[in-house]
Amino acid sequence: MQNCHNYQIEHKDRFLNELFDLLRIPSVSADSTKNKDTAQCAEAVKNALLQAGCEIAEVCSTAGHPIVYAEKIIDPSLPTILTYGHYDVQPPDPLDLWTSGPFEPVVVDGKIYARGSCDDKGQMFMHVKALECMHATNSLACNVKFIIEGEEEVGSTNLGKFLEDNKEKLKADIVLVSDTSMISMEHPSIETGLRGLAYMEVEVTGPNRDLHSGVYGGAVANPITILSKMIASLHDENNHIVVDGFYDDVQELTTAERTALNTAPFVLEEYKSELGINNVWGEKGYTTLERTGVRPTMELNGIWGGYIGEGAKTVLPSKAFAKISMRLVPNQNSHKIAEIFTAHFNKIAPDCVSVKVTEHHGGEPVVTPTDSNAYKAAEKALETTFGKKPIPTRGGGSIPIIALFEKTLGLKTVLMGFGLDNDNIHSPNEKFDVVNFYKGIETIPYFHKYFAEMQSA
Ligand code: BES
Ligand code: MN
Ligand code: MN
């Protein structure tokens, strides 16, 4: 692997510049006015994969944003690694909170600032450059396939069908993903689970039109007041979620599992000061690591209604809205939770209003094995480049397609992420350490090598 790493050192500045070219493309999947940019980004990823040594690279159109597929088969008898990542990014707003333009990447204090630097262009591109290093130095140990999608941030709507339609083409031994975080550079870690997601939107309607709040106020229910009360009732005084049946399928951890989870390095004081909060909040009886890793949650993502323009307007609004999402853990099911939530929300609505509940995209929780060759190869690869054995953790985020890799293709996943929790993904000033970017490129070839060795042993 020394040649491979020497090649990386020789070309490291170019690798960073090429990443910058990708980061300059505003491939915001949620914003249809950016569809051209998103399509252009898919082309750029395809070209990068060809340049890195793939024999086949194609942009596959879907009902939504295109999927980039690529492969390099060196020997059909060798194991095949299917690398998954996404080239789409979250919207950059609020724009005024960025220190530099979200699509004008810069390095400040050793960190790359740009939307997508960590989630996931920067991490996905590590795999492209790692392939280039392995290909250029003849050190590829496995066949490689790539799926880089453009709809992860909007729920991977069309990737499920792509998996169904391309089972043969996507045959592999393992899925490798860098789209999660590790604890820190001093404490490398591997996420061994992701939470699922059920995302709901609610609409509360009172009178059939906006009313004068003096003429009618006090006699007609205000949908904002009613919605606020309904929302407030969804957590009890212990911050448990009050939705009938919500916890029914939740898999409780054993005492040993809980102890193991809580041995991960975590300093509560640092956590609080870094977030600017005086205290943490959450479900009674669980630690912060448990609250974000293995417990289901419910979050308000947005709430609106009535007059929010300049000055004052005395109005009793006709409608109020909220976006509410729930993070799910094994063995909860997103559709079942969506149904339970809908029934509950309808049940608690007073008869002076009507409510409408709709379901947005969701995803299922996953746990990845820690006794597999793939996990052991990732563990050994990180130990080789970080000098420390990585610890298994449970991540709080969601990547909906991971459950489908298993369900549709029968493939397990390794989540070898190089981001940090405070990289501001989805927030202003998203960043990714240049060191992490290079460490990733250095570590990935070791994964390939160790995985090949372990699979053939
Ligand atoms: N890469 C993240 C998920 C993630 C981040 C997992 C950090 C673990 C640690 C992914 O791009 C993401 O943001 N997923 C969304 C879900 C999607 C359906 C919008 C999420 O978790 O909110
Ligand atoms: Mn991501
Ligand atoms: Mn994301």
Side-chain angles (χ1 to χ4, degrees):
M1 289 286 110
Q2 196 51 51
N3 282 347
C4 193
H5 189 48
N6 288 344
Y7 181 92
Q8 181 187 338
I9 291 169
E10 218 171 289
H11 297 271
K12 70 186 204 351
D13 294 337
R14 174 170 59 81
F15 288 1
L16 194 62
N17 286 329
E18 289 173 1
L19 171 61
F20 275 29
D21 289 339
L22 274 190
L23 293 172
R24 287 192 188 97
I25 307 173
S27 49
V28 181
S29 49
D31 183 352
S32 60
T33 69
K34 296 282 185 292
N35 282 357
K36 267 206 179 124
D37 300 286
T38 307
Q40 189 209 328
C41 195
E43 281 298 327
V45 170
K46 180 196 89 172
N47 291 333
L49 283 160
L50 283 175
Q51 185 256 325
C54 284
E55 285 146 1
I56 299 176
E58 50 203 27
V59 171
C60 312
S61 50
T62 72
H65 299 298
I67 295 164
V68 181
Y69 173 78
E71 64 176 46
K72 176 161 187 67
I73 309 296
I74 49 169
D75 175 353
S77 70
L78 287 172
T80 300
I81 297 172
L82 175 61
T83 297
Y84 162 81
H86 61 95
Y87 67 82
D88 66 320
V89 298
Q90 286 275 330
D93 47 274
L95 283 173
D96 52 324
L97 294 183
W98 284 80
T99 317
S100 50
F103 301 105
E104 292 153 28
V106 285
V107 174
V108 178
D109 291 336
K111 292 164 187 75
I112 309 160
Y113 284 87
R115 172 57 87 234
S117 56
C118 176
D119 184 13
D120 178 44
K121 285 176 182 170
Q123 295 206 64
M124 169 273 284
F125 201 60
M126 297 179 319
H127 290 267
V128 181
K129 292 296 103 178
L131 170 66
E132 181 185 324
C133 293
M134 292 185 281
H135 172 66
T137 56
N138 263 318
S139 42
L140 260 172
C142 294
N143 301 309
V144 291
K145 294 182 178 177
F146 281 85
I147 295 181
I148 312 295
E149 71 155 317
E151 295 189 304
E152 198 279 339
E153 300 292 8
V154 288
S156 301
T157 333
N158 295 290
L159 186 51
K161 183 173 183 299
F162 185 82
L163 302 189
E164 288 286 350
D165 293 347
N166 293 282
K167 284 186 190 168
E168 194 57 36
K169 180 160 155 173
L170 299 175
K171 273 206 167 137
D173 295 274
I174 190 69
V175 179
L176 178 62
V177 181
S178 296
D179 192 24
T180 51
S181 354
M182 53 168 54
I183 297 171
S184 68
M185 292 303 279
E186 294 72 44
H187 298 286
S189 59
I190 300 175
E191 289 192 12
T192 59
L194 291 165
R195 291 195 286 189
L197 187 68
Y199 203 121
M200 316 300 294
E201 184 161 334
V202 299
E203 178 183 324
V204 174
T205 307
N208 58 8
R209 60 192 187 276
D210 284 5
L211 302 175
H212 187 289
S213 67
V215 176
Y216 290 96
V220 175
N222 185 315
I224 299 180
T225 311
I226 303 291
L227 175 59
S228 305
K229 282 193 170 193
M230 290 170 75
I231 288 169
S233 77
L234 295 174
H235 287 92
D236 70 11
E237 67 281 8
N238 292 324
N239 299 326
H240 275 287
I241 293 158
V242 186
V243 171
D244 303 328
F246 184 79
Y247 292 98
D248 283 1
D249 300 327
V250 171
Q251 206 175 64
E252 297 288 339
L253 265 63
T254 63
T255 313
E257 284 172 320
R258 287 184 72 175
T259 310
L261 186 82
N262 287 303
T263 55
F266 176 77
V267 184
L268 189 61
E269 287 313 311
E270 281 174 15
Y271 187 81
K272 289 194 289 189
S273 80
E274 209 255 324
L275 296 175
I277 53 173
N278 288 322
N279 214 340
V280 290
W281 177 97
E283 192 182 0
K284 196 177 172 187
Y286 295 92
T287 64
T288 297
L289 287 177
E290 289 170 336
R291 287 169 180 170
T292 57
V294 292
R295 296 300 295 169
T297 61
M298 176 189 290
E299 288 300 323
L300 264 290
N301 301 107
I303 178 165
W304 69 103
Y307 183 69
I308 52 165
E310 195 183 339
K313 181 187 182 194
T314 47
V315 61
L316 193 167
S318 165
K319 286 177 187 291
F321 306 81
K323 292 188 192 274
I324 306 175
S325 64
M326 291 158 279
R327 295 284 166 172
L328 312 177
V329 300
N331 292 312
Q332 288 176 298
N333 172 276
S334 67
H335 301 295
K336 186 170 168 195
I337 291 295
E339 257 172 48
I340 287 176
F341 177 89
T342 306
H344 182 85
F345 212 74
N346 278 298
K347 194 188 86 181
I348 63 173
D351 63 5
C352 50
V353 295
S354 60
V355 304
K356 194 171 115 193
V357 182
T358 48
E359 183 184 356
H360 288 289
H361 57 71
E364 305 312 324
V366 286
V367 207
T368 63
T370 51
D371 57 357
S372 62
N373 281 345
Y375 184 85
K376 286 179 190 150
E379 190 173 64
K380 194 171 165 191
L382 285 162
E383 191 175 359
T384 305
T385 54
F386 283 78
K388 253 187 208 167
K389 189 169 169 173
I391 46 178
T393 61
R394 291 281 280 266
S398 310
I399 308 177
I401 202 64
I402 305 295
L404 294 184
F405 282 131
E406 174 138 28
K407 196 173 164 217
T408 309
L409 304 177
L411 292 176
K412 300 274 187 202
T413 295
V414 176
L415 300 163
M416 196 167 74
F418 293 85
L420 302 178
D421 275 347
N422 66 4
D423 275 338
N424 298 328
I425 63 171
H426 298 200
S427 306
N429 303 313
E430 178 175 351
K431 63 182 167 65
F432 190 38
D433 248 273
V434 178
V435 175
N436 292 43
F437 176 64
Y438 288 143
K439 273 280 176 203
I441 301 173
E442 186 187 346
T443 307
I444 291 159
Y446 282 106
F447 175 85
H448 285 237
K449 174 175 149 47
Y450 297 145
F451 184 63
E453 286 169 7
M454 290 175 189
Q455 288 290 96
S456 69

